[in-house]
Amino acid sequence: MQTSINREFLKGLWDEHPILRLLIGMCPTLAVTTAAVNGLGMGLSVIFVLVCSSVIISLIRNFIPNQVRIPCFIMIIATFTTIIDMVLAAYFPALHEVLGLFIPLIVVNCIILGRAEAFACKNPPARAFIDALGMGLGVTWGLTFIGAIREIMGMGTVFGLQIVPETATSWIIFLLPPGAFFTLGIVVGAMNHINHVMERRRQQTVRSAAAGQAVQG
Amino acid sequence: MRDSLRLVIVLTLVAALSGGILAYTWDKITPIIDANNAAALADSILEVMPGAVSYEIWTAEAASSVDADATASGTADADTTASGTADAGAAATGTVDADATASGTVDADAATSGTVDADTTASGTVDTAAAATGAADADATASGTADADATASGSVDGTSGSSLVATIHEIYRGLDANGKTAAVAFVVDANGYGGTIRMIVGVEPAARKLTQIKVLEHAETPGLGARITEPAFLRQFENKSIDDAFAAKQDVDAIAGATVSTIAVASTIKSALTEVETELRAGGAW
């Protein structure tokens, strides 16, 4: 049981990374990752909405008729999104100023509907919570990572700190929409390559272990 | 039948619950948001006028007699920046536009179920949205026949094709400790790339220079146009002479990848400054 809980949590961080493996939620990914801090802010907002809506949907999953489940999910997600938007505006105006633009985007973020549909409506609240947290953190690191790359290439800064000498030419194209596609493609490709290499290593170990056993036998 | 009834009930319940929760949150939170915004605006007003310790809203009505009345089921626009009297009373069901920036007389008579007057006597240039010829037209499209004649005995500027129209909201007069005008600030809307950019601009009339500008609201692209809010961009407007050209890439550094936003900010400030100066001069507050 413990290992399966760990798995529910970890799968969102790598194996089933919503952005980089499942390639869902591309719209906000491409649109908001112009700077690392934007990606981080969007990711944190997604965690909040994803966790809240997953738990609620999991709690009421037995009452919702199958035919109207999607309108119900959307209403729940939209409610939480609006609440976080208003609460941030009221109590954290400075943070809201940075994130304000992205928060309404969360409603149409298909990662959240995807988790509601694929996981929360079939699992108990505790598991839905773990799954949502893992997925949310996955989104957060993914968006922050892509944002950091684009910020370094486009402005020479990361989280606003100058790390590339100002004399170096920065590539504005990385901040523009095409740069989002370039970066996403390269990151997804790199991730696939890493997985590929790891898979080959694993097979080699299995094979050499098998060979060792054969020799012993 | 029972199944579909169940669907309706569940959907209604979820919708009602969501609606209820949202209404409750809205009810509790809007006053806080409004208070925040008001406080932020008050802070911004004083922030862009470093010399001022207090401020008051400067009203055109108080200084000169500039009226714009719409007593009908129509719309009446009267953008007047003149040191004179401008009445645009539309007692008709129609649209009345009377843009007068001065010199000459602009009459707009609507011979319908009402009268429309737009009289301006001043010295300057006349800006009409309608025609760039000697005669300015103010159209009243009413439920009936409407005639609108405008005679302008001055130079007429037909530069209304520009998409950059400065919408000035409030003008604030910053007072120093002795109650003298230390600076002036105004809130102005620019048409940015992603929507309206609302800015507050501080001016020192005596020195003919800007004090500071601040972006209050915007919807520009994050990472590109949104950088108009960064100090690096805003600082170049500090102590800038109001007689400068405010042309992007010349005396205003454009943000890379966000030329539209830069031009919107710079040229809106420039045209708003001209309008505000005319209006304040007319009211004797410059």
Side-chain angles (χ1 to χ4, degrees):
Chain A
M1 190 61 201
Q2 188 56 42
T3 50
S4 96
I5 293 243
N6 274 347
R7 214 199 104 56
E8 297 306 358
F9 179 70
L10 291 175
K11 69 174 194 270
L13 295 178
W14 189 275
D15 286 346
E16 291 179 31
H17 192 287
I19 296 170
L20 301 175
R21 300 292 294 170
L22 306 181
L23 296 184
I24 55 176
M26 287 294 102
C27 252
T29 304
L30 296 169
V32 307
T33 53
T34 46
V37 69
N38 292 349
L40 184 67
M42 181 70 179
L44 294 177
S45 318
V46 167
I47 293 181
F48 174 83
V49 176
L50 187 54
V51 167
C52 291
S53 59
S54 280
V55 170
I56 296 288
I57 287 166
S58 171
L59 280 171
I60 60 167
R61 67 188 189 281
N62 294 329
F63 301 102
I64 304 276
N66 202 32
Q67 296 93 321
V68 293
R69 64 186 193 286
I70 291 184
C72 291
F73 296 166
I74 288 289
M75 272 191 277
I76 292 165
I77 294 166
T79 307
F80 277 112
T81 311
T82 316
I83 287 175
I84 181 82
D85 191 27
M86 290 196 284
V87 168
L88 281 180
Y91 298 103
F92 306 97
L95 188 63
H96 187 260
E97 211 158 284
V98 181
L99 299 183
L101 230 46
F102 315 133
I103 291 174
L105 282 176
I106 298 174
V107 179
V108 290
N109 190 326
C110 63
I111 295 167
I112 294 169
L113 187 62
R115 289 334 286 172
E117 179 73 0
F119 199 91
C121 73
K122 294 174 190 141
N123 287 283
R127 289 177 76 88
F129 174 82
I130 296 291
D131 169 76
L133 197 63
M135 286 288 166
L137 286 172
V139 172
T140 309
W141 87 251
L143 292 181
T144 313
F145 186 61
I146 294 174
I149 294 178
R150 291 180 66 189
E151 197 182 340
I152 292 169
M153 302 303 273
M155 285 191 277
T157 60
V158 65
F159 285 107
L161 291 168
Q162 194 80 34
I163 56 162
V164 176
E166 284 198 51
T167 45
T169 313
S170 46
W171 298 350
I172 295 298
I173 194 161
F174 272 90
L175 294 181
L176 298 170
F181 286 97
F182 294 156
T183 316
L184 182 68
I186 290 165
V187 172
V188 170
M191 200 152 169
N192 281 347
H193 181 71
I194 294 171
N195 279 342
H196 190 67
V197 168
M198 286 197 335
E199 180 65 17
R200 222 172 27 204
R201 283 226 186 105
R202 204 177 56 79
Q203 277 176 359
Q204 267 172 4
T205 350
V206 170
R207 228 179 289 139
S208 57
Q213 275 178 352
V215 169
Q216 275 177 354
Chain B
M1 186 59 209
R2 276 193 60 193
D3 279 352
S4 32
L5 201 67
R6 186 161 167 252
L7 299 186
V8 172
I9 291 172
V10 169
L11 262 184
T12 318
L13 258 175
V14 173
L17 260 175
S18 307
I21 293 170
L22 283 182
Y24 178 80
T25 326
W26 174 254
D27 207 43
K28 289 280 160 223
I29 274 180
T30 358
I32 306 175
I33 296 178
D34 287 346
N36 279 347
N37 288 346
L41 180 64
D43 284 349
S44 307
I45 293 169
L46 286 179
E47 196 182 308
V48 297
M49 296 187 292
V53 291
S54 67
Y55 67 89
E56 59 180 30
I57 296 178
W58 191 85
T59 43
E61 284 80 10
S64 66
S65 43
V66 179
D67 281 306
D69 293 338
T71 42
S73 56
T75 18
D77 280 358
D79 294 342
T80 9
T81 355
S83 65
T85 344
D87 281 5
T93 41
T95 332
V96 178
D97 276 14
D99 290 355
T101 330
S103 147
T105 335
V106 180
D107 279 16
D109 291 336
T112 11
S113 53
T115 355
V116 180
D117 276 291
D119 291 352
T120 334
T121 343
S123 55
T125 33
V126 177
D127 232 70
T128 36
T133 49
D137 276 20
D139 285 350
T141 337
S143 56
T145 12
D147 277 317
D149 292 334
T151 336
S153 67
S155 54
V156 178
D157 232 41
T159 53
S160 59
S162 162
S163 59
L164 295 158
V165 182
T167 319
I168 298 167
H169 289 279
E170 283 99 13
I171 301 179
Y172 302 95
R173 207 150 64 97
L175 308 168
D176 63 12
N178 302 323
K180 296 260 172 59
T181 307
V184 168
F186 57 89
V187 176
V188 64
D189 281 353
N191 290 330
Y193 183 78
T196 305
I197 304 171
R198 181 162 293 181
M199 302 173 282
I200 182 159
V201 181
V203 197
E204 229 171 87
R208 295 191 69 74
K209 64 181 175 82
L210 297 183
T211 48
Q212 269 183 35
I213 73 165
K214 205 177 167 194
V215 176
L216 300 174
E217 276 170 40
H218 74 92
E220 302 302 284
T221 322
L224 294 169
R227 296 175 71 195
I228 55 169
T229 58
E230 289 180 4
F233 176 72
L234 297 175
R235 216 179 289 127
Q236 58 182 332
F237 291 98
E238 279 175 33
N239 297 322
K240 189 173 175 59
S241 164
I242 65 170
D243 298 311
D244 282 357
F246 285 84
K249 295 172 183 172
Q250 289 167 33
D251 61 328
V252 174
D253 287 337
I255 297 168
T259 320
V260 173
S261 311
T262 313
I263 292 176
V265 170
S267 61
T268 301
I269 292 176
K270 179 66 179 173
S271 56
L273 276 172
T274 320
E275 274 183 52
V276 168
E277 183 180 351
T278 322
E279 184 162 345
L280 289 184
R281 270 191 197 288
W286 187 268

